[in-house]
Amino acid sequence: MAQIFRPGADTYARMVLLSIVLLPTLAIFLTYLVMRSSTVTGQDFVLHQWPPFSHAHHAGELGIGCRMCHNSVEKAASAGMPSTHVCMTCHSQIWTNAPMLAPVRESLADDKPLHWTRVNDLPDYVYFDHSVHVNNGVGCSTCHGPVDTMPLMRQAAPLTMGWCLDCHRSPEKFVRPTDKIYDFDWQPPADQEEKGKRLLVQYHIETSHLTDCSVCHR
Amino acid sequence: MRRRAPLLPLIALLALAGCDQSMQDQPSIKPYEATAMWPDGTPERGLPDGVVTRGASAALAALSEPPPVSEALLARGRRDFDDFCAPCHGYAGDGDGIVVQRGFPPPPSYHSDRLRAAPASHFVDVITNGYGAMYAYSDRVAPEDRWAITAYIRALQTSRDTALAAVPDAAEALQ
């Protein structure tokens, strides 16, 4: 009787068996890589803004505090965005004819708010609250990066669920003293774990419920 | 059974068509989200004319009645002063803040005789309503905080206007 299988058949069979195991694993791994890449999360993309508002200039060089423009950051869920009136407290007197500031003057004249492109934008099914973080030892730079050196704003963190949970599982690695919340030079000290544990007690942070789904999906 | 197997991927494909971004972008409007619902494109609706906001009378009461001065009030006043006033008035109140160095008209020093003699309510009034080239800060500084800032300005003024005799242990401070 003639042979049904050619000599190479064994190799093919092994390769098929192997790829049944390998291909899905590879597919999952690749999807994981893609989902965490900045193309999907939007991390580190610099978006066009007009007027080209510079945090490096206003917050870094001039040292204007964040609350001058993001007024509700300690009081509400939303950090708040500056009204045209806020820009005009200074730009009614300085750089009054700069073409760069034309949109601000138009906005004032037409009584139409300035339009900014959103940089950090969570999906609508996620609940986030600034005040609970800022008043409990999480500083701006932990989530927004070195804002005071950014000529144009970029999203410094991936803002994925895993990123939120990394901190919610063990906030002691990230929390800092109250007077350092707006400090962009703050780095975790060598004994952060130990100091952080003490700060958790000071802020009354109870970690056992921080990873419940209903905290962020309400 | 075997003949139906090719249908499975097809059904899966059809199911994919059900996926959309409607959870990601829900019809509800979040703060500052662009919307076509109003002609100016923003969900931030100002108050209609004549509306009295909730808490307006409490705010008025807080404005007319100075709170008791405490260490905590001064600390809050310092924080707010440094964020909201120091860019123009300078950290010590000399009127030489960084924005003034870049061309803003210089405000008067808090250490002038006139502003030393001015009643505390004058400062609260300037923060609330603005003064000349200075815009009002009522949208950024809450009524209680205006008193806190004023208390801190008073502390700044006192720091420059204290006779040596009023600090009896000043002589020992250098030893």
Side-chain angles (χ1 to χ4, degrees):
Chain A
M1 200 174 97
Q3 272 189 332
I4 302 177
F5 295 107
R6 278 190 281 131
D10 258 9
T11 326
Y12 287 130
R14 281 201 196 99
M15 269 165 72
V16 167
L17 278 179
L18 202 68
S19 51
I20 285 175
V21 181
L22 273 187
L23 278 183
T25 321
L26 204 72
I28 291 172
F29 180 67
L30 276 179
T31 322
Y32 178 77
L33 276 190
V34 169
M35 290 313 281
R36 295 197 48 155
S37 72
S38 58
T39 331
V40 170
T41 62
Q43 189 178 5
D44 286 334
F45 275 62
V46 174
L47 303 178
H48 173 80
Q49 304 278 2
W50 189 252
F53 180 81
S54 162
H55 279 83
H57 205 142
H58 290 86
E61 199 186 320
L62 298 175
I64 305 170
C66 313
R67 289 187 307 148
M68 175 82 100
C69 296
H70 306 299
N71 198 235
S72 54
V73 75
E74 291 178 354
K75 299 178 202 142
S78 163
M81 291 299 268
S83 63
T84 308
H85 174 91
V86 171
C87 306
M88 289 311 276
T89 49
C90 293
H91 291 294
S92 60
Q93 301 287 339
I94 44 174
W95 285 54
T96 45
N97 291 316
M100 250 187 219
L101 280 159
V104 179
R105 294 190 296 271
E106 273 161 30
S107 152
L108 188 77
D110 304 347
D111 199 21
K112 274 200 174 174
L114 285 164
H115 179 80
W116 304 105
T117 310
R118 271 309 285 250
V119 180
N120 300 271
D121 200 359
L122 291 173
D124 286 0
Y125 53 77
V126 182
Y127 174 79
F128 180 77
D129 186 317
H130 271 97
S131 63
V132 76
H133 291 96
V134 173
N135 292 328
N136 287 295
V138 190
C140 310
S141 64
T142 303
C143 302
H144 292 303
V147 168
D148 61 335
T149 60
M150 297 181 189
L152 280 179
M153 180 59 60
R154 63 185 158 78
Q155 178 187 323
L159 302 188
T160 54
M161 179 161 140
W163 175 76
C164 304
L165 289 175
D166 274 347
C167 179
H168 277 212
R169 284 200 191 101
S170 42
E172 68 275 5
K173 290 191 200 133
F174 303 94
V175 288
R176 44 177 112 176
T178 323
D179 58 337
K180 298 277 187 255
I181 300 297
Y182 295 91
D183 186 346
F184 283 83
D185 298 325
W186 185 85
Q187 292 295 337
D191 54 347
Q192 171 65 21
E193 296 263 335
E194 188 194 319
K195 281 211 173 96
K197 289 225 171 70
R198 247 179 288 139
L199 285 169
L200 290 194
V201 177
Q202 183 199 318
Y203 290 121
H204 306 293
I205 295 172
E206 188 55 66
T207 45
S208 56
H209 297 295
L210 269 185
T211 48
D212 291 358
C213 315
S214 59
V215 164
C216 307
H217 305 293
R218 350 185 133 186
Chain B
M1 188 64 215
R2 200 184 280 152
R3 226 175 294 140
R4 256 181 264 149
L7 277 181
L8 273 179
L10 233 142
I11 291 171
L13 262 178
L14 272 178
L16 262 184
C19 294
D20 62 16
Q21 295 293 303
S22 59
M23 284 297 279
Q24 188 107 6
D25 300 311
Q26 296 168 17
S28 60
I29 309 171
K30 289 213 282 184
Y32 307 108
E33 191 174 312
T35 170
M37 200 175 285
W38 287 281
D40 61 2
T42 167
E44 318 304 320
R45 312 314 306 160
L47 293 175
D49 286 338
V51 164
V52 179
T53 54
R54 203 172 142 198
S57 63
L60 267 183
L63 270 186
S64 55
E65 193 62 40
V69 175
S70 62
E71 200 73 50
L73 186 88
L74 275 176
R76 211 168 81 210
R78 175 182 193 157
R79 226 165 76 83
D80 284 349
F81 180 86
D82 287 356
D83 270 4
F84 296 113
C85 318
C88 295
H89 286 274
Y91 288 100
D94 291 303
D96 59 350
I98 181 121
V99 176
V100 170
Q101 292 165 32
R102 304 294 171 98
F104 203 88
S109 163
Y110 290 149
H111 308 289
S112 69
D113 288 338
R114 180 174 67 84
L115 284 176
R116 250 184 225 140
S121 59
H122 177 61
F123 293 90
V124 174
D125 187 56
V126 171
I127 303 174
T128 310
N129 300 312
Y131 187 91
M134 177 182 147
Y135 275 34
Y137 279 74
S138 44
D139 58 339
R140 277 161 274 178
V141 184
E144 317 82 80
D145 296 338
R146 294 176 209 164
W147 285 109
I149 290 178
T150 304
Y152 181 65
I153 293 178
R154 282 286 189 242
L156 285 178
Q157 289 176 330
T158 311
S159 73
R160 292 272 181 93
D161 191 27
T162 302
L164 193 56
V167 196
D169 48 1
E172 287 106 70
L174 282 182
Q175 275 155 24

